[in-house]
Amino acid sequence: MPADLHLLPKFRDRLAYLYAEHAVVEREQNAIVLYLEEGEVPVPVAEIALLMLGPGTKLSHAAVDVLARNNCLVAWVGEEGVRLYAFGTGGTHSSARLLRQAAAATDESRRLAVVRCLYAKRFPEALSPEISLEQIRGMEGHRVRSAYRLAADRYGLEWQGRNYDRNRWQGSDPPNRALSAANSCLYGVCHAAILSLGFSPALGFIHVGKQLSFVYDVADLYKIELCLPVAFREAAQGAEDLERRVRIALRDEFRRTRFLERVAADLLELFPDPAGESTEEWDEDPAKPGAYWDGAPGGVDYSQEMPALEVCEDDGSDPHGG
């Protein structure tokens, strides 16, 4: 059978995510079914990138199996998706892209190049090579604050600045709650994209020290463009059911803009595949150990035939000299 018949659907062509709470998730052939009070909802898992499980959900072992086989990230989140407790693994079986990311993260000059590239994607004008990193960060802070003020004026909202305490969710004003809900969805989708394309969410370049540092790096590329207008528009329409409205509106925006396709392209631009090398080939046996590393100076080349080991015969003596 041709290998391409085994390939999973391209991640960049999928829908963004699905959020569920107070549901039982079961497997139904090569799909899953959400059992809700309102009835059954069949879900084609090959078409979604991320399943966010909120409070009151139960997930069967068979459902996890089909989700993993179809490269759908599962994330266990808090109410309205505003906390992330745990997550599954991505669907790629190759470490090639992760190794390139790690090489860039641990080399000072390459790391700086990635940082400047990430910042450059946020500005309409080209950044001069003479501008320092500190100056770029100052420009970014000004850009973000200006975007908040302009969006608040556009939708007639009072804006007192970004203020978010996830331990006092209802203590925030509607615009801040809407932004936090939108950002949470954005983090989940970017997280799914990073894992599914074979990168590490922990190896950040601008953000460091967290298991999701690279998720924050990538998500910051799109917050102002996608999350801010959706959040402020929904907040201007009232606080009732605000978080759910924001999630649905942002999901529709993800689909309209083909967001996953854009994230995949941006990630591959940061760490391009070498010419002639493909990291998306079908792995017939993902559980099989990979090749040995034989590049260490003075190390053993395990790709060559090993000499026979000498077997010492037991002469009955005490090895401890007793």
Side-chain angles (χ1 to χ4, degrees), residues 13-88:
D13 295 330
R14 296 184 176 206
L15 303 179
Y17 73 94
L18 177 67
Y19 173 82
E21 61 182 31
H22 304 292
V24 176
V25 184
E26 293 283 0
R27 178 173 183 169
E28 181 67 32
Q29 296 183 354
N30 260 343
I32 60 172
V33 176
L34 305 182
Y35 292 94
L36 308 166
E37 290 185 359
E38 299 82 4
E40 303 176 9
V41 179
V43 178
V45 291
E47 295 297 324
I48 60 174
L50 170 68
L51 176 62
M52 302 174 72
L53 299 177
T57 51
K58 296 181 179 179
L59 181 65
S60 71
H61 183 278
V64 172
D65 177 67
V66 73
L67 286 161
R69 290 177 183 273
N70 284 278
N71 193 14
C72 178
L73 177 66
V74 181
W76 285 261
V77 300
E79 188 175 3
E80 306 296 350
V82 297
R83 286 174 180 257
L84 175 65
Y85 299 120
F87 54 86

Side-chain angles (χ1 to χ4, degrees), residues 70-243:
N70 284 278
N71 193 14
C72 178
L73 177 66
V74 181
W76 285 261
V77 300
E79 188 175 3
E80 306 296 350
V82 297
R83 286 174 180 257
L84 175 65
Y85 299 120
F87 54 86
T89 59
T92 183
H93 302 302
S94 170
S95 63
R97 289 173 180 162
L98 172 58
L99 292 174
R100 286 200 294 278
Q101 180 188 6
T106 53
D107 181 272
E108 185 175 352
S109 61
R110 294 173 65 182
R111 182 190 189 95
L112 181 59
V114 173
V115 169
R116 295 184 69 93
C117 183
L118 285 167
Y119 276 121
K121 286 180 175 293
R122 309 185 203 181
F123 294 94
E125 69 279 4
L127 293 177
S128 171
E130 286 75 29
I131 298 178
S132 69
L133 185 57
E134 290 73 17
Q135 290 174 311
I136 295 175
R137 285 176 173 159
M139 294 167 57
E140 170 65 1
H142 176 74
R143 183 185 76 96
V144 171
R145 290 189 295 271
S146 297
Y148 284 150
R149 289 195 300 268
L150 290 173
D153 292 342
R154 177 182 178 184
Y155 293 104
L157 293 170
E158 182 180 355
W159 180 248
Q160 300 294 334
R162 190 73 172 105
N163 181 21
Y164 165 54
D165 182 355
R166 68 180 188 175
N167 294 316
R168 296 181 60 254
W169 178 251
Q170 296 300 329
S172 298
D173 57 27
N176 272 287
R177 283 167 44 207
L179 273 173
S180 297
N183 290 345
S184 177
C185 294
L186 178 65
Y187 292 150
V189 175
C190 290
H191 191 175
I194 289 167
L195 288 175
S196 294
L197 290 173
F199 298 105
S200 168
L203 290 179
F205 291 80
I206 297 174
H207 297 85
V208 295
K210 297 288 186 179
Q211 284 294 320
L212 300 181
S213 291
F214 193 50
V215 175
Y216 303 140
D217 284 354
V218 175
D220 280 351
L221 299 177
Y222 318 108
K223 279 183 181 178
I224 299 301
E225 177 185 345
L226 290 174
C227 293
L228 184 57
V230 168
F232 277 31
R233 183 185 69 223
E234 295 302 321
Q237 297 177 10
E240 184 177 356
D241 210 12
L242 177 59
E243 291 82 357

